[in-house]
Amino acid sequence: MKDDVESREDRTAGLKGLGCARRRVEDLRFTQGKGNYVDDIKLPGMLHGDFVRSPYAHARIKSIDASAALALDGVVAVLTAEDLAPLGLHWMPTLAGDKQMVLADGKVLFQGQEVAFVVARDRYVAADAVELVEVEYEDLPVITDPFESLKSDVVLREDLEPGADGAHGPRKHHNHIFTWEVGDKETTEQVLEEAEVVAEEMVYYHRTHPCPLETCGAVASMDKVNGKLTIYGTFQAPHAVRTVVSLLSGIEEHNIRVISPDIGGGFGNKVGVYPGYVCSVVASIVTGKPVKWVEDRMENLMSTAFARDYWMQGKIAATREGKITGLWCHTTADHGGFDACADPTKFPAGFMNICTGSYDIPVAYLAVDGVYTNKAPGGVSYRCSFRVTEAIYFIERMIEVLAIKLNVDAAELRRINFIRKDQFPYQSALGWEYDSGDYHTAWDKALAAVDYKGLREEQAQRVEDFKAGKTRKLMGVGLTFFTEIVGAGPVKNCDILGLGMFDSCEIRIHPTGSAIARLGTISQGQGHATTFAQILASEIGLPADSITIEEGDTDTAPYGLGTYGSRSTPVAGAATAMAGRKIRAKAQMIAAYLLEVHDDDVEFDIDRFVVKGAPERFKTMKEIAFAAYNQAIPGIEPGLEAVSYYDPPNMTYPFGAYVCVMDIDVDTGVPEIRRFYALDDCGTRINPMIIEGQVHGGLTEALAVALGQEIAYDDLGNVKTGTLMDFFLPTAWETPNYETDHTVTPSPHHPIGAKGVGESPHVGGVPCFSNAVNDAFRAFGLTHTQMPHDHWRIWKTANRLGLHG
Amino acid sequence: MIPAPFEYYRPREMAAVLALLAEHGDEARVMAGGHSLIPMMKLRMAEVPHLIDLQDVEGLSGITVSGGEIRLGAMVTQAEIIDSKELAQAAPILREAALQIADPQVRAMGTVGGNVANGDPGNDMPGLMQCLGARFTLVGPEGEREVAARDFYEAAYMTERDDDEVLTAVAFAVPEGGYAYEKQKRKIGDYATAAAAVQIRREGASCAAASIAMTNLSDTPVWSEAAAEALVGTELGPEAIEAAVTAMLAEIDPSEDNRGPVEFKRHAAVVILRRAIARAWSRA
Ligand SMILES: Cc1cc2nc3c(=O)[nH]c(=O)nc-3n(C[C@H](O)[C@H](O)[C@H](O)COP(=O)(O)OP(=O)(O)OC[C@H]3O[C@@H](n4cnc5c(N)ncnc54)[C@H](O)[C@@H]3O)c2cc1C
């Protein structure tokens, strides 16, 4: 037999399992334009929906006249809140315990809000009809600033009972949503009072948007004969969508099938439920025909979930030697017109309480106040676990601010405050148990790789040259050490709408030794079909190339909470390994039977079970698979299948050390990234090539956010950055070269030690780019300047510091 | 992002184009590369019930350099300008400018004629053509006429061209001396925060002739005769450059947008012009 002569190395390599830079199996269809996205779905008789949207940010709706639109040839229906009200669908619950208008019910709260839904024969007629719907508005005072909002007499949410509690406790003002407090306020304030040194800063993380290449959309198809509703949509959590639709519509869950086909990027934008989904479902129920709704780029930027918009007031206390003694943070969170944040129920500000970062901070206090304004709802985790980007940006800016106050080197300040390797598992002051880490090793490796000392010397020389008039460019060295908290999460404290945040994998081994595995997650570009097959290959000894991974169809996949917050590998990846182990356990019994030995006398060896001490006696997994289907084995059911629902015992805590070297033209405000070094520790590395791709993508989105990407509003609540001309989406042109590196600190509680990596580079990248800009001006007295660092804002900083003569 | 309904025409002869324009008046518009017009139609900021595609119309293509004259057919694309060896020799400023317009996909479609006829202050070629002293050939019901680029622009989207005229060619004398097209933008595919086109002819140690035009710093391109004059006859010392910059500043009138406030744009204009002058001089 061929297997006899193959070396163990060859057999391992043949599986393409853990650690293999296996090519992405998805890319064949993607690179050939053969993907199947929502907008590719065409069903017989399908109608098309389009929205009439509010041009005003805050207005009362006096009347809606759809008669001209209805008179247009090809228009089937125009739905308004009045039409949805009898079904109770003119409002819908949000993931954050608030409710949101599906179609404007008497007033609008942000520009671009959905007012009426036109259903027509084709996409073009629908767009023409939108123009013909006449809406009479009476404009109301607009509030775009959360601090103003909390002082204003203007009541944004007239639907909420004055004085009544919100979903997260008491509301202090009619435009206030919640207060969330974590930590020890009293002790923290006492520490601040008695501290040798206190650094303070208001750190604003501006509003931006995940802006996936594919916008949001759905095709709903109600089959009135068999009572089945099928919804294809851009859903990062298809199973949760099915449950929500069932609860909202009253249609039994078994009669609803939700399918997430290929998804062209999500980054958190496709977690929530949007009015477009609800309207296409209602329109399909009303018309009895499939209805497609796909938004355009401007609609995506204006009305679907934004990210960030956190005003973080910080105080950090330290000894004169730089040992941090306490951290205090008060955040004012601008949630827009409705609270539609996508966070686990018990965490109205997500995992913002990871804001002590990678540092051993004995005491801390965090309070977050959520506020309504006349902006779009959202507040999703854009390429990060829930609000982790905000938290890490905050602490990584505060560390720099403290370093300036203490007049010490920021790298050294980090080093003396890191949680030490021997402190893990580490209990943070704000309530998390960090599972593992080795920060000092990673930091030293990073600083050595970039010749940190040399960079600082070069920078000092540059400052001299600048002062002497020899150059107009300053040099910034951006540092970041981040710790993420991903893999939500343990069902005991993580749920969304009451659904525990476990995840799942179901495996079927076919008789000839190939397999299909289905998961409760859904890839949006992460490469699940590639990497989950690798996890399984190593667990069950069948080649990854013989394993199909399928996700996104609720009729076939096991229930799971979907893909966001870097949870797929930590949770569904764990479920995959556990299901694989169940397969292996049964295979062991079959092998023992075939080899006529006791179960305990065989052991797993790469792709086979061998008799202990007699490696020439073995059965390959392929042979075992066949036996499972063609032999009557006493005491063992036929077939080889397994399913695992995995409730993680803890989150995982990936970390990383990033360094950015930037040159800044003080006259034009143009930053140029000379070098970017990224060391990531995501525990066990499943596929180094995919990790590298994820790091590049995350860093590029970080560059975007730090250097210009924003959703900006004028005083009237008009979106100023509604197209890609003004909303910065970097291309290859703007993207610098990235140097990637790694250390490996496996998660002690994850079955294969993996931690998740898709979001790390974004979480670490944003502060790193921002710190580089700030650092460039440190020698000239700058403590902190807000993002985004686009040309004119950098120019303004230089101007304010008197660098333009 | 769906335009209002429109009729689409694809004539082969200019006569047919003119006839359609005559028939439909301001309900009709010609389309060249479509990369300014179609976005406006999709945003429903431009409604064009009758759209006349110029792609197949004869006589609008080709780059010719002869007898000290350069002629670009209106339908010459920005990509063709970049690829033309002849042009790179005869008027390298065109290539330098075209490479800073939009991105490769847009440049494959966008034309010289469309860029200069559009009248958007953000377009780079109008200022460039003013710097080069180009002339635009217009064909209409009354026949052909030429208008100087420096007289062509009246206000944003308002030009000397009548609605029933088609721009067929752009012509200018082979430029002499050093050149530079300097542009600050936020990213690839962006219009200028500030841009400057500069041609300088040098005789011995001093500047014999100069031409300067600025882009996206007013509602039309700004050809600053005074700025150029400040350089002529000097050796481009700090005082001459300062005078040129001051003259330029007196003529621009930028407005605030997402690229930044007015004070920043005025500052950027100064920096960009200084750099353009320095580079052009170094090549003169
Ligand atoms: C993403 C993006 C980025 C861009 N960035 C830049 C940039 O940085 N700099 C820049 O200069 N441009 C930029 N552009 C515009 C691009 O260069 C356009 O192609 C150009 O402005 C217009 O050329 P066109 O051939 O596409 O004209 P069209 O869009 O076809 O026409 C534009 C206008 O001119 C009229 N017109 C066209 N041809 C004629 C003619 N022969 N006679 C009379 N009228 C005519 C049309 O009726 C229309 O009103 C950008 C475009 C895009 C989409």
Side-chain angles (χ1 to χ4, degrees):
Chain A
M1 253 160 84
K2 184 168 170 284
D3 284 304
D4 281 336
V5 290
E6 253 183 324
S7 70
R8 302 191 75 240
E9 288 71 33
D10 285 351
R11 286 197 279 130
T12 304
L15 292 179
K16 299 193 190 166
L18 290 185
C20 170
R22 181 185 185 219
R23 288 209 185 163
R24 286 169 37 111
V25 295
E26 298 89 337
D27 289 348
L28 198 62
R29 69 176 191 281
F30 290 153
T31 53
Q32 295 186 8
K34 297 277 166 57
N36 186 38
Y37 299 90
V38 168
D39 208 14
D40 293 320
I41 289 161
K42 295 181 179 70
L43 301 179
M46 189 170 76
L47 301 173
H48 295 258
D50 196 359
F51 278 111
V52 176
R53 293 180 180 274
S54 170
Y56 295 98
H58 194 199
R60 217 169 284 294
I61 295 188
K62 309 271 284 184
S63 66
I64 301 176
D65 180 0
S67 53
L70 286 165
L72 188 69
D73 182 36
V75 173
V76 178
V78 178
L79 302 178
T80 64
E82 254 177 55
D83 302 306
L84 301 187
L87 304 166
L89 289 175
H90 55 321
W91 287 76
M92 62 180 181
T94 69
L95 297 179
D98 194 2
K99 55 181 181 155
Q100 175 178 352
M101 291 179 214
V102 173
L103 290 172
D105 183 18
K107 73 185 283 194
V108 288
L109 285 159
F110 63 94
Q111 188 185 47
Q113 188 177 331
E114 299 79 1
V115 173
F117 190 65
V118 173
V119 186
R121 184 180 59 214
D122 64 45
R123 183 72 189 83
Y124 301 92
V125 174
D128 292 343
V130 163
E131 298 273 289
L132 296 175
V133 176
E134 285 194 23
V135 185
E136 201 187 326
Y137 297 94
E138 176 191 310
D139 56 341
L140 295 168
V142 172
I143 308 173
T144 57
D145 177 304
F147 300 99
E148 285 300 310
S149 187
L150 287 178
K151 284 184 268 166
S152 172
D153 294 338
V154 177
V155 180
L156 297 179
R157 291 290 298 276
E158 292 160 344
D159 58 294
L160 299 177
E161 198 188 317
D165 280 7
H168 305 288
R171 296 170 59 225
K172 293 190 278 209
H173 177 269
H174 51 252
N175 295 333
H176 178 254
I177 309 172
F178 63 82
T179 301
W180 188 54
E181 282 183 287
V182 203
D184 184 341
K185 181 167 192 237
E186 208 176 307
T187 315
T188 306
E189 287 178 351
Q190 197 184 331
V191 164
L192 284 166
E193 212 157 283
E194 293 162 5
E196 291 175 4
V197 180
V198 175
E200 288 186 45
E201 196 55 68
M202 170 63 100
V203 179
Y204 178 47
Y205 199 144
H206 62 287
R207 179 176 278 236
T208 182
H209 193 282
C211 193
L213 278 189
E214 178 206 27
T215 59
C216 299
V219 178
S221 178
M222 182 75 208
D223 184 330
K224 289 197 171 171
V225 177
N226 64 18
K228 297 243 181 219
L229 172 66
T230 306
I231 312 168
Y232 303 83
T234 47
F235 307 134
Q236 290 184 234
H239 300 272
V241 168
R242 186 185 70 192
T243 303
V244 171
V245 170
S246 175
L247 292 172
L248 281 181
S249 67
I251 301 172
E252 279 197 82
E253 211 166 344
H254 74 106
N255 277 331
I256 302 172
R257 179 178 183 190
V258 174
I259 299 174
S260 294
D262 283 330
I263 297 185
F267 312 115
N269 186 239
K270 292 167 180 167
V271 172
V273 172
Y274 294 122
Y277 304 155
V278 179
C279 286
S280 25
V281 169
V282 173
S284 180
I285 294 173
V286 170
T287 62
K289 299 215 166 121
V291 176
K292 177 187 276 186
W293 163 76
V294 176
E295 65 188 2
D296 66 29
R297 176 65 56 203
M298 289 178 76
E299 294 180 292
N300 179 254
L301 287 173
M302 280 171 88
S303 70
T304 63
F306 73 92
R308 332 292 189 221
D309 218 347
Y310 259 32
W311 293 89
M312 302 174 285
Q313 177 74 47
K315 296 178 195 169
I316 189 164
T319 64
R320 247 174 246 109
E321 291 70 45
K323 192 82 190 78
I324 300 170
T325 52
L327 179 72
W328 182 97
C329 176
H330 179 270
T331 294
T332 303
D334 186 339
H335 286 224
F338 307 96
D339 185 8
C341 287
D343 293 311
T345 308
K346 296 187 190 77
F347 298 89
F351 303 157
M352 177 67 193
N353 54 333
I354 193 75
C355 66
T356 50
S358 316
Y359 311 105
D360 182 16
I361 302 181
V363 60
Y365 168 71
L366 164 72
V368 182
D369 279 301
V371 184
Y372 292 122
T373 59
N374 290 121
K375 301 186 194 170
V380 291
S381 333
Y382 166 9
R383 204 168 185 144
C384 66
S385 191
F386 313 97
R387 300 287 187 183
V388 175
T389 307
E390 288 88 329
I392 299 306
Y393 180 62
F394 169 74
I395 184 67
E396 288 303 294
R397 281 303 306 142
M398 290 308 294
I399 286 280
E400 295 279 320
V401 169
L402 178 63
I404 290 168
K405 181 110 187 182
L406 291 165
N407 195 22
V408 298
D409 177 73
E412 191 51 30
L413 182 61
R414 283 180 173 84
R415 186 199 312 277
I416 62 175
N417 285 290
F418 280 147
I419 300 163
R420 293 184 322 273
K421 192 178 173 184
D422 58 66
Q423 287 176 287
F424 292 97
Y426 173 81
Q427 295 292 335
S428 82
L430 293 178
W432 296 112
E433 184 184 299
Y434 292 33
D435 65 347
S436 58
D438 182 358
Y439 300 166
H440 287 93
T441 302
W443 197 229
D444 290 343
K445 190 173 180 186
L447 298 183
V450 297
D451 180 19
Y452 180 67
K453 208 167 144 274
L455 286 175
R456 288 297 182 200
E457 281 161 13
E458 186 190 346
Q459 184 185 36
Q461 183 60 48
R462 184 74 74 84
V463 169
E464 290 313 307
D465 289 351
F466 184 89
K467 286 179 176 164
K470 290 189 210 157
T471 177
R472 295 296 292 163
K473 283 191 180 170
L474 292 176
M475 174 180 162
V477 181
L479 303 175
T480 286
F481 197 99
F482 67 91
T483 297
E484 260 216 292
I485 169 170
V486 308
V491 173
K492 64 178 187 286
N493 59 0
C494 289
D495 73 273
I496 285 184
L497 292 175
L499 304 166
M501 295 181 75
F502 60 84
D503 226 290
S504 59
C505 175
E506 182 202 89
I507 305 169
R508 296 181 185 179
I509 312 290
H510 306 315
T512 51
S514 67
I516 183 163
R518 297 189 170 100
L519 291 87
T521 45
I522 174 72
S523 183
Q524 307 124 38
Q526 293 91 338
H528 291 179
T530 307
T531 49
F532 287 132
Q534 292 184 252
I535 295 177
L536 261 189
S538 290
E539 291 292 341
I540 64 175
L542 292 174
D545 289 345
S546 302
I547 302 170
T548 295
I549 299 291
E550 205 181 86
E551 303 170 301
D553 182 341
T554 59
D555 264 10
T556 56
Y559 205 98
L561 266 275
T563 294
Y564 42 85
S566 279
R567 64 185 299 281
S568 296
T569 296
V571 192
T576 304
M578 297 310 271
R581 286 172 196 182
K582 290 184 186 176
I583 296 279
R584 213 164 72 191
K586 184 167 178 183
Q588 179 165 3
M589 294 192 275
I590 298 172
Y593 171 81
L594 296 173
L595 292 162
E596 297 178 16
V597 296
H598 189 272
D599 289 357
D600 292 341
D601 290 336
V602 292
E603 62 187 357
F604 187 67
D605 179 40
I606 304 169
D607 58 351
R608 64 192 58 181
F609 276 95
V610 300
V611 174
K612 285 181 186 164
E616 71 288 354
R617 290 190 60 207
F618 64 84
K619 287 289 171 191
T620 64
M621 284 301 291
K622 231 178 134 146
E623 291 169 315
I624 294 166
F626 200 63
Y629 290 89
N630 79 344
Q631 298 220 14
I633 305 172
I636 298 180
E637 287 180 3
L640 195 51
E641 300 189 359
V643 57
S644 169
Y645 284 79
Y646 188 81
D647 178 8
N650 190 4
M651 311 281 182
T652 66
Y653 296 76
F655 58 92
Y658 291 179
V659 183
C660 172
V661 185
M662 196 183 272
D663 295 301
I664 290 180
D665 183 330
V666 297
D667 293 320
T668 57
V670 176
E672 201 178 303
I673 292 136
R674 195 200 308 172
R675 190 165 183 196
F676 199 103
Y677 169 89
L679 178 150
D680 275 282
D681 191 320
C682 58
T684 302
R685 292 158 59 83
I686 300 166
N687 181 325
M689 183 196 68
I690 287 198
I691 291 173
E692 186 161 359
Q694 292 287 312
V695 172
H696 283 213
L699 288 175
T700 302
E701 280 183 326
L703 168 124
V705 170
L707 300 186
Q709 185 181 81
E710 66 174 322
I711 296 289
Y713 290 84
D714 68 12
D715 291 343
L716 293 174
N718 297 307
V719 180
K720 296 201 293 179
T721 51
T723 75
L724 296 188
M725 184 56 80
D726 287 311
F727 184 87
F728 178 34
L729 202 65
T731 65
W733 186 264
E734 290 83 14
T735 305
N737 183 50
Y738 299 122
E739 298 164 56
T740 57
D741 203 346
H742 63 274
T743 54
V744 177
T745 311
S747 166
H749 61 80
H750 187 277
I752 62 164
K755 295 182 173 180
V757 75
E759 304 176 327
S760 298
H762 195 66
V763 170
V766 174
C768 194
F769 287 112
S770 180
N771 282 346
V773 173
N774 278 284
D775 183 67
F777 294 104
R778 177 173 170 176
F780 298 89
L782 180 71
T783 309
H784 174 77
T785 182
Q786 310 290 16
M787 290 192 294
H789 306 297
D790 52 6
H791 298 174
W792 81 263
R793 287 177 172 105
I794 291 180
W795 175 86
K796 203 163 169 234
T797 298
N799 197 263
R800 190 156 47 86
L801 296 172
L803 303 184
H804 294 140
Chain B
M1 296 297 240
I2 304 268
F6 59 87
E7 286 298 324
Y8 177 78
Y9 307 86
R10 201 172 171 120
R12 294 181 157 272
E13 277 136 32
M14 185 53 73
V17 176
L18 295 177
L20 283 164
L21 285 173
E23 185 185 342
H24 299 290
D26 58 5
E27 296 238 300
R29 270 223 227 168
V30 296
M31 176 176 76
H35 273 54
S36 288
L37 185 54
I38 290 178
M40 297 299 272
M41 289 171 66
K42 286 188 161 186
L43 292 167
R44 297 197 178 216
M45 287 161 88
E47 200 153 328
V48 184
H50 300 274
L51 186 69
I52 311 165
D53 194 335
L54 296 180
Q55 295 292 340
D56 289 348
V57 178
E58 278 162 25
L60 296 180
S61 59
I63 300 171
T64 49
V65 182
S66 80
E69 269 273 311
I70 297 175
R71 183 187 175 282
L72 307 172
M75 292 299 285
V76 167
T77 63
Q78 290 142 15
E80 286 176 89
I81 289 178
I82 291 167
D83 292 344
S84 164
K85 294 212 170 62
E86 244 184 326
L87 219 49
Q89 271 283 311
I93 192 171
L94 256 69
R95 186 167 193 275
E96 182 159 299
L99 278 169
Q100 297 178 70
I101 292 178
D103 53 49
Q105 287 95 324
V106 173
R107 297 197 292 254
M109 292 302 290
T111 66
V112 174
N115 201 298
V116 300
N118 195 26
D120 184 329
N123 283 131
D124 287 290
M125 296 218 157
L128 176 65
M129 293 306 164
Q130 290 195 337
C131 171
L132 294 171
R135 301 166 326 270
F136 302 154
T137 305
L138 302 173
V139 175
E142 258 105 80
E144 206 175 270
R145 63 178 178 127
E146 271 199 344
V147 180
R150 291 171 191 169
D151 299 329
F152 191 71
Y153 299 95
E154 292 163 352
Y157 301 102
M158 306 273 278
T159 68
E160 254 296 303
R161 186 181 64 85
D162 290 330
D163 281 349
D164 55 2
E165 288 180 307
V166 178
L167 193 150
T168 54
V170 173
F172 49 91
V174 171
E176 294 175 47
Y179 67 92
Y181 195 81
E182 182 82 19
K183 174 175 174 180
Q184 179 170 354
K185 56 182 176 178
R186 295 171 297 180
K187 56 181 179 180
I188 193 167
D190 193 20
Y191 293 95
T193 301
V198 175
Q199 282 280 158
I200 299 180
R201 191 158 57 81
R202 177 177 183 152
E203 269 170 23
S206 67
C207 165
S211 183
I212 292 174
M214 309 298 292
T215 288
N216 219 11
L217 293 160
S218 190
D219 68 343
T220 61
V222 175
W223 178 64
S224 178
E225 201 171 359
E229 264 169 16
L231 301 179
V232 176
T234 76
E235 296 186 2
L236 264 65
E239 276 164 31
I241 291 176
E242 191 57 39
V245 162
T246 308
M248 176 277 294
L249 277 176
E251 294 185 56
I252 62 170
D253 183 19
S255 47
E256 176 167 349
D257 59 19
N258 287 327
R259 294 179 186 86
V262 171
E263 49 161 352
F264 166 61
K265 290 193 173 181
R266 293 182 67 82
H267 191 266
V270 170
V271 175
I272 293 302
L273 179 56
R274 282 178 184 280
R275 289 181 186 174
I277 292 173
R279 194 159 75 240
W281 185 239
S282 75
R283 288 162 165 169

